[in-house]
Amino acid sequence: LQTFVNNDLGTAIKFTSETDPSKAHENYQSSRTPLIYILQKYLNPFVYDKILYIKSVFVISFLGPLIFYFCLKQKFKKEDNLLILLITSFLFLSPFYRTSSYWGLEENYGIISLLLAFLFLNLFLERKNQEDFKGYLQLFFSILFSSACIYFDQKLLIVPIICFFKIFFCNINLKTKIFTTIVYFIFSLPFIYL
């Protein structure tokens, strides 16, 4: 993170993408793409203070269970809210999620992006026969967040693949399928560059 905070964007990306280890920045030791560090630099006002930064990541991590609740509520409309809240709270029992939240690590951003991708995908699939602005907006956000999963954590490569095939093989028109393919291709360009 300090590589991106202390340098301009072009220099920081050059440092992180060097193939020659002797030229790479000595402080960049992450195996992740630099999207989260770029977002933190420009969108998180607490990035310059370590304690406030960790607290901000802790607060952002509370979005995960909240989005998970909406995903479950959307999928299981007839179930009791108390049961859905209980299932949602299982995310708090995960030592992986709790540790990432507490220490200000970046793993939870991929999980939050995954949940948002599936939330918008399910919203789109419920309305797939309605070719309107709202449907395309839901489709766009599903593609955006599923693509962001890879930029946050490369292990989540399966998420955009699932979303792409789920959209591509559902009963929608050819124009929507072409739109999906083009937007996925555009969102993959920065990853191909890196």
Side-chain angles (χ1 to χ4, degrees):
L1 180 61
Q2 291 304 313
T3 302
F4 285 87
V5 171
N6 297 332
N7 298 297
D8 65 285
L9 186 59
T11 305
I13 288 178
K14 182 177 179 285
F15 282 147
T16 59
S17 61
E18 287 288 343
T19 54
D20 183 6
S22 65
K23 294 180 182 176
H25 197 276
E26 65 274 2
N27 292 331
Y28 190 77
Q29 299 174 358
S30 179
S31 62
R32 289 181 172 72
T33 61
L35 175 67
I36 189 60
Y37 307 117
I38 296 168
L39 292 176
Q40 290 289 356
K41 177 180 179 174
Y42 292 110
L43 298 178
N44 190 345
F46 306 112
V47 77
Y48 299 101
D49 183 349
K50 183 178 180 180
I51 300 301
L52 289 176
Y53 170 75
I54 290 173
K55 287 180 181 179
S56 71
V57 172
F58 183 76
V59 170
I60 292 170
S61 294
F62 276 106
L63 288 175
L66 181 66
I67 298 167
F68 188 39
Y69 170 80
F70 287 121
C71 287
L72 291 175
K73 189 66 181 164
Q74 178 188 40
K75 197 72 174 166
F76 305 105
K77 291 177 175 62
K78 296 180 181 177
E79 292 299 322
D80 184 31
N81 280 340
L82 188 59
L83 178 63
I84 293 176
L85 278 173
L86 180 66
I87 293 170
T88 301
S89 67
F90 285 148
L91 198 54
F92 288 124
L93 297 177
S94 166
F96 179 76
Y97 195 84
R98 281 192 332 246
T99 302
S100 297
S101 300
Y102 183 79
W103 291 108
L105 303 176
E106 57 269 340
E107 283 87 3
N108 292 352
Y109 294 107
I111 295 170
I112 291 169
S113 184
L114 171 144
L115 292 170
L116 284 170
F118 287 137
L119 179 69
F120 283 108
L121 178 65
N122 286 332
L123 284 171
F124 170 75
L125 291 176
E126 285 176 356
R127 314 174 23 98
K128 64 185 170 197
N129 293 327
Q130 298 178 7
E131 300 293 326
D132 58 353
F133 179 73
K134 189 173 181 181
Y136 275 103
L137 194 62
Q138 292 166 346
L139 177 62
F140 176 79
F141 281 124
S142 176
I143 295 169
L144 173 70
F145 288 117
S146 67
S147 296
C149 286
I150 298 175
Y151 292 102
F152 289 134
D153 199 344
Q154 295 165 357
K155 295 184 300 262
L156 298 174
L157 174 66
I158 191 74
V159 174
I161 293 171
I162 290 171
C163 289
F164 178 78
F165 285 121
K166 189 84 170 164
I167 294 166
F168 203 77
F169 291 117
C170 76
N171 189 17
I172 56 174
N173 64 17
L174 182 63
K175 183 173 79 170
T176 308
K177 291 179 182 183
I178 292 171
F179 173 78
T180 301
T181 306
I182 290 171
V183 174
Y184 266 116
F185 176 73
I186 290 170
F187 286 151
S188 70
L189 290 177
F191 194 81
I192 293 169
Y193 172 75
L194 285 175

